[in-house]
Every structure is written in structure tokens, then in C-alpha cells.
Amino acid sequence: MSAGRGIGGPSHRAAWIFLAPFALVTLVFVAYPLVQSAVLAVQQTYGPGTKTFVGTKNFTDMSGDPVFWTALRNTIIYTLGSLFIQLPLALALALALNSPRLRGRGIYRLIFFSPQLMGLVFVSILAALMFEKQAGLVNQSLHAITGGLWSLDFPWLESHVMATLIIISLWMYVGFNMIYFLAALQNVDQTLIEASEIDGAGVLARFRHVVIPAIRPVGSFVIMLSMIGSLQLFELPFVLLEGTGGPRNQGLTVVMYLYQSGFEVGDLGYASAIGWVLAVLLIGLAIVQLWIIRREER
Amino acid sequence: MSSPAVPASARRRTGGWKRWTLQAVLATLAVITLIPFAWLLIASLKSGEDFFGAIFFPPGEGPLGIGWDRLTLDNYRKLFAEGFGRAFLNSVFYASTTAVLGTLVCSASGYALAKFRFRGRGPALIAVLSLIILPPTLLIAPGYELLYHIGLLDTVAGLILPVVAPAFGVFLFRQAITQAVPDQLIEAARMDGCSEIEIYFSVVLPLIRPMVGAFLLISFLAMWNNFISPQIVLQSQDKQPLSVAIAQLRGIYRTDYGLLMAATVVSIAPVALLFLLLQKQFISGLTSGAVKG
């Protein structure tokens, strides 16, 4: 019947056999829940069993829910930290490691990347002990370095939760993002660099006119990845603060609030509504970014 | 042109000074990066009283002024007496099953999308691409509800099945196969009478071995470190993987630092080992989607 286009005739059916496992799993565990999340978002539930239709109530409730706004603010602070502290540091590190005459590049690359191997949960456990008062490594080191000026009782996990989270994320992700930038720097034309050196172009000028254009595609990919990951921050504060938002919800993130609403309060409807707000935010940001990239390419 | 007035020796000197500063900065950063690991490892070997006594090694009479004899494996013994070995085996099982299944599912569909012209290919490709940007958090609540209704809550299948078909994996394999597998080779195998399944296993997969290795590693790591899925899906104590077990351990033994450190070491050691063995493949897999831009 169907004249095979492309490779061979019988492959028509074969293609669907190869696709079937993916299609099946995706239909059941992604497409169906996706539809269901829209249904749930207009319902109130008590656990997975009982539910009532509430229309847009979840969304109007959310707009007047101070805890949600706290969670959103914290999440945005963390994301800004990722974009404006973590990524520039990652790029700087990549540039430093990319200089051809540097000794020990391989070992540096391995060391800076290594924290990424520890899962977020395990990092959180370690960090919880490191940022403790008295016995924690961070306060003890700062105490020793400053000759006793730094208090051993500095309350990282009590009053400076967001700063602590951002510091931990630096340790964990700077090396990871550095790997991407290093890969991107392989695209930089070495002859262009040499030419600009001969022309006496300054470091900054070279950075702007040679390096930046070459790493732009990977750069926007890393920005997107980092934004998506940061806005969905969950494990790190959840384990660090033992399932709570910390004192005065200082470390509560949007996904943590989604988890609390859905699985501690038992309202999967409100949780889904929070999920949709986050999804719209994420997809909106992705579209804006694509639009910017397109415009710059023209 | 650079000014010829600057003598070469002077230029070399400034270059050397710069290089030394760079080395010093990088070495400092490397030490800061590694210190938490050292602290973790040493603390896991210390008894409760020594934990508070010294930042790193306990002082003593041994070489380097360190009380080597004060270090102990007690924390590890206690850990396994607490049933942590079970959680370890669970993690190994979940992560390797997910890695193998995920690699098979993603590479098969990547192959279909790369090498077959069939009706529905365009829409399928668009679906894969849009699924990549779908935030997984959106599926947490309805996913839980689904597992409840089909009776997969607190089962291994309920934990593993939903994560064996990540769209980004399909995309990675499609790119790799498009690049590395020539059409003629597939045609030739067909002429020789190979079945489609045989072609996939004996022609396609061997040609993309680096991608297979990288993806096995990436999905193993992802499942090993996954916390939110087991936390939501699994309830029985004896099914918990390391990630959940360690968080629970902290809830119970809040102040037993040595024990928590030992648990952390046990949780990250296999992954670190795997990575050291396979780091080339890993990093190339990680950046394979990104480099071509």
C-alpha cells in the first residue's frame, strides 16, 4: 500500500515498533498527567481520592497567598544569583583554563567539576553540617582565618538561608557550567585571537569581539538551562531545612510549596495550580529568550 | 604590529608573572573546592568527641602530629547495622535498571526519528522537542494521582517506568545516529537479510557506542541522585534508595555527625568511582547537545 519513502518499504512498520516504547511511556506517564494537571488545577482535593470542582479559586487564592509570594520571591532571588554570580564565574574559570600554556588543565577541570557528582541530597546533608553553628566547617574556618573576629555562632541556617543556598550552588554548579563554556571556547578561532594580539587589541576588546560571538549559542543554552533548573529548585533547601521552609519561610521555594500543598496538606489541585504558574513562567522565559536570540542573529 | 621596542625578555617576564598569578588563583580555588570532600571523609572516621575537638584530623602522637589511632570505622559499622546496606542495594538496582531501560528506549526512538521516513515523523519530532522544555514539576501532582489510580504507588515499576523515556535522550540519540550512522550501511545490512531489530542491535548501537556510554552514565547518575520521585512514590522503608534513606537518617540521628558523614561517603563513593573511570565519555556526552550550535 504505502510506497516506502526514504529508506525501504517494510521500515514503515519497523519505525513505529522502535518508537512504541517511548510513545507508550510518554502517553501514559507524561501526556495523560499533563492533561490531568489542567483538570486538577480547577479542583480542590483531599489526597488523591476525593475532589471538588472549584473553578479558578486556586489561582485567586494563590494571588492572595503571602506564602506563595514568599516562595516566588526566594526562587527569583536564587535564580538571579545563578545568572549573575554563578555563570560569570563559570565563564571566567573557563577562560582561565582555556589558555593554552596553562599547566594542569585536565586536573583543574576534573576538580572544579567534581562537586557536580554529588547529588543535591548528599550535598544538602554535607552542607547542613558545614554551615552549622560551632562545629560547622564554614564558621570554624572563618573564625580561624579572621583570628577570632568571625563568630562561631554566625547563623547561616537561621537568618541567612538564601545566601547559604547561593554559596552552596556556587560550589556545586560553577564547575559544571564551566564545562559547557570550555566546550564553547573550542569554537573560538585561534587565528582571530592571535591576529587581535598582533593588532594590539586589549583583553576586553578581544573578549567582546572575538570570544563573545563565538560562545553565544552555547551561552544562551547555558543561561536557559540554568534558569530552568534554578526556578525549579527543590532538593537543596528541602533537605537542608528538613522539609520546612526554614525560619519565617526564608528558604521556601515554589516547588517546595507545591510539594507541601500537594503532599503535606493533601491538596493536589492547589499543587497543580502552582505547577501551572511555574510552567507558564518557565515557558514564557524560554520564548522571550528565543526571541532575543533570533533578533540578535539578524 | 606589536611594538618591537619591548625586549623579548621583558615580555616573557610579564607573561611569567601573569601565569604564576593565574596558577595561584586556580590552585586556591581548587583547594576550596576539595576541602569539603576532605572534611567529609575525615569526619566520617572520627568519633563523636573528636568531631568537635578538631576541624580536620584529631591531634595526637602519630606522624604529622595527628592521632591516627583515634580514627575509627565505627561510624560505618553502625551505619550498616542500621540497615543502610539495603538502601545502597536499592539505589544500585534502581539506577542501573533505569540506565539500561532508558538507553534502550531513547536510542530506539532516536533511531526511528533519524533514519526512517514514515507518516507522523514530523509531528513526533515536534512532540519530542516540545517535551524537552516541559517542566517536570508540572507532572508531580497529577503523576502521583495517576500512580495511585493504577496501583503503582510504592512499587518499583511506579518509580522507574515514568522516567525511562526522557525526551532529551531521544533527541540526543537522534542527533548522534544522524551523524554517525551512514544510510548505506543500513541498506547493506537489509540486503544481507538482517531483520530490523538485528540492524538496530548489531549495526546502529555499535556505531554510537560513545553516546550509549555517556547516556548510560547520565541516566545512572540522575536516578542515583533522584530524591523527589522516591520520596513521593515509595512509602515502604525497605524500598527506599540512599537519597531518601539519608534524609531520614538525618531526621533520626540529628547530632550524630560521624554517622551522617559516613552515610554521605557511602552514597557518593560509587558514583565518584564510576566517573573517574569514564570521565571522557561523560563530559563529551554532557556537551554533545551543546557544542553544535
Side-chain angles (χ1 to χ4, degrees):
Chain A
M1 271 267 294
S2 56
R5 286 168 294 159
I7 303 176
S11 54
H12 226 81
R13 223 181 65 215
W16 279 107
I17 292 173
F18 285 122
L19 262 182
F22 170 75
L24 206 67
V25 170
T26 303
L27 279 178
V28 176
F29 292 106
V30 180
Y32 175 77
L34 187 61
V35 174
Q36 208 51 33
S37 77
V39 177
L40 273 171
V42 293
Q43 291 175 334
Q44 187 172 25
T45 76
Y46 304 94
T50 48
K51 49 183 87 167
T52 40
F53 179 81
V54 293
T56 57
K57 182 171 171 297
N58 285 330
F59 293 96
T60 49
D61 279 1
M62 211 185 309
S63 70
D65 180 352
V67 183
F68 171 74
W69 288 106
T70 304
L72 188 62
R73 196 199 59 203
N74 291 341
T75 309
I76 289 173
I77 291 176
Y78 178 81
T79 308
L80 292 177
S82 299
L83 293 181
F84 293 103
I85 305 175
Q86 197 189 97
L87 293 186
L89 282 175
L91 178 58
L93 218 50
L95 285 169
L97 287 193
N98 197 48
S99 74
R101 276 164 311 197
L102 182 78
R103 252 184 236 169
R105 283 164 83 179
I107 193 80
Y108 281 131
R109 199 175 69 158
L110 186 62
I111 290 174
F112 293 136
F113 182 79
S114 61
Q116 176 62 29
L117 293 174
M118 267 181 99
L120 272 171
V121 189
F122 311 118
V123 171
S124 310
I125 299 278
L126 176 61
L129 303 176
M130 282 179 52
F131 283 92
E132 284 248 325
K133 290 178 181 179
Q134 297 288 333
L137 175 68
V138 176
N139 277 345
Q140 288 211 352
S141 308
L142 289 171
H143 185 79
I145 291 170
T146 59
L149 281 177
W150 187 274
S151 166
L152 281 176
D153 282 324
F154 187 82
W156 289 104
L157 297 174
E158 289 78 13
S159 325
H160 304 276
V161 178
M162 287 316 295
T164 309
L165 290 175
I166 290 175
I167 293 172
I168 300 168
S169 77
L170 288 183
W171 182 70
M172 194 157 176
Y173 292 118
V174 166
F176 175 73
N177 290 315
M178 173 200 76
I179 295 284
Y180 283 106
F181 283 125
L182 264 177
L185 287 173
Q186 309 310 310
N187 294 344
V188 176
D189 192 345
Q190 283 303 318
T191 55
L192 266 181
I193 297 245
E194 277 156 25
S196 70
E197 260 170 16
I198 291 168
D199 287 346
V203 175
L204 276 181
R206 201 187 313 154
F207 185 69
R208 241 189 84 196
H209 298 296
V210 182
V211 177
I212 289 281
I215 64 169
R216 178 164 282 152
V218 176
S220 46
F221 173 79
V222 173
I223 289 174
M224 180 104 79
L225 211 66
S226 176
M227 220 155 56
I228 291 174
S230 301
L231 287 171
Q232 299 187 78
L233 179 69
F234 172 75
E235 277 99 336
L236 188 59
F238 185 85
V239 176
L240 191 72
L241 305 166
E242 293 182 273
T244 71
R248 298 184 309 284
N249 278 331
Q250 274 179 74
L252 187 75
T253 67
V254 174
V255 179
M256 271 171 88
Y257 192 46
L258 183 160
Y259 178 90
Q260 288 182 353
S261 309
F263 301 98
E264 280 162 22
V265 179
D267 189 351
L268 294 173
Y270 197 55
S272 289
I274 296 174
W276 272 102
V277 170
L278 189 62
V280 167
L281 190 69
L282 283 167
I283 294 167
L285 281 172
I287 290 171
V288 168
Q289 216 201 346
L290 281 177
W291 180 73
I292 292 174
I293 294 170
R294 281 271 167 77
R295 212 185 48 170
E296 278 179 349
E297 273 171 2
R298 251 189 277 131
Chain B
M1 289 286 273
S2 63
S3 60
V6 183
S9 61
R11 218 183 299 154
R12 205 176 311 130
R13 214 177 308 136
T14 48
W17 177 81
K18 262 192 205 159
R19 217 181 309 162
W20 279 110
T21 319
L22 185 63
Q23 280 287 1
V25 171
L26 286 174
T28 312
L29 288 176
V31 168
I32 292 175
T33 307
L34 290 179
I35 278 181
F37 290 115
W39 190 65
L40 170 69
L41 196 63
I42 296 166
S44 77
L45 299 170
K46 288 199 286 194
S47 66
E49 55 202 276
D50 280 339
F51 185 85
F52 295 98
I55 304 188
F56 291 101
F57 288 108
E61 307 297 303
L64 301 171
I66 292 167
W68 296 105
D69 51 324
R70 302 182 66 102
L71 298 179
T72 162
L73 286 175
D74 281 354
N75 292 318
Y76 289 91
R77 279 188 209 107
K78 187 174 173 196
L79 188 66
F80 284 95
E82 289 293 323
F84 210 63
R86 175 79 205 213
F88 185 87
L89 292 179
N90 286 342
S91 275
V92 171
F93 176 63
Y94 300 156
S96 31
T97 314
T98 309
V100 172
L101 285 179
T103 304
L104 285 175
V105 169
C106 291
S107 61
S109 30
Y111 174 45
L113 291 176
K115 292 293 174 189
F116 292 85
R117 303 278 172 276
F118 56 97
R119 214 169 292 139
R121 177 177 179 268
L125 202 56
I126 291 169
V128 167
L129 287 174
S130 23
L131 284 175
I132 293 178
I133 58 164
L134 180 76
T137 42
L138 189 55
L139 303 180
I140 295 174
Y144 172 80
E145 203 203 17
L146 171 70
L147 293 178
Y148 170 83
H149 285 303
I150 58 180
L152 286 183
L153 270 189
D154 203 22
T155 66
V156 175
L159 177 69
I160 290 177
L161 279 180
V163 296
V164 293
F168 83 93
V170 176
F171 182 71
L172 282 183
F173 275 109
R174 178 185 173 269
Q175 301 301 85
I177 291 169
T178 308
Q179 245 179 18
V181 184
D183 287 351
Q184 299 91 308
L185 224 55
I186 299 173
E187 287 295 0
R190 243 173 232 149
M191 297 289 195
D192 289 346
C194 288
S195 75
E196 294 296 325
I197 299 286
E198 276 169 352
I199 294 174
Y200 162 68
F201 277 107
S202 55
V203 177
V204 177
L205 284 186
L207 282 174
I208 52 160
R209 204 177 295 140
M211 186 67 223
V212 170
F215 195 76
L216 277 172
L217 207 67
I218 291 172
S219 30
F220 184 93
L221 264 181
M223 191 56 173
W224 187 273
N225 294 333
N226 190 346
F227 172 76
I228 192 163
S229 308
Q231 167 84 6
I232 289 169
V233 176
L234 303 175
Q235 280 120 27
S236 317
Q237 198 56 45
D238 61 338
K239 291 196 181 107
Q240 300 299 354
L242 289 170
S243 56
V244 177
I246 199 172
Q248 288 173 348
L249 203 67
R250 176 157 176 250
I252 304 166
Y253 299 97
R254 230 193 127 6
T255 52
D256 197 339
Y257 299 99
L259 186 73
L260 291 173
M261 299 293 209
T264 311
V265 171
V266 169
S267 306
I268 64 170
V271 171
L273 219 69
L274 210 61
F275 174 75
L276 287 177
L277 289 176
L278 300 169
Q279 54 152 318
K280 275 239 172 63
Q281 289 92 313
F282 185 75
I283 288 179
S284 72
L286 202 69
T287 47
S288 61
V291 191
K292 297 181 295 137

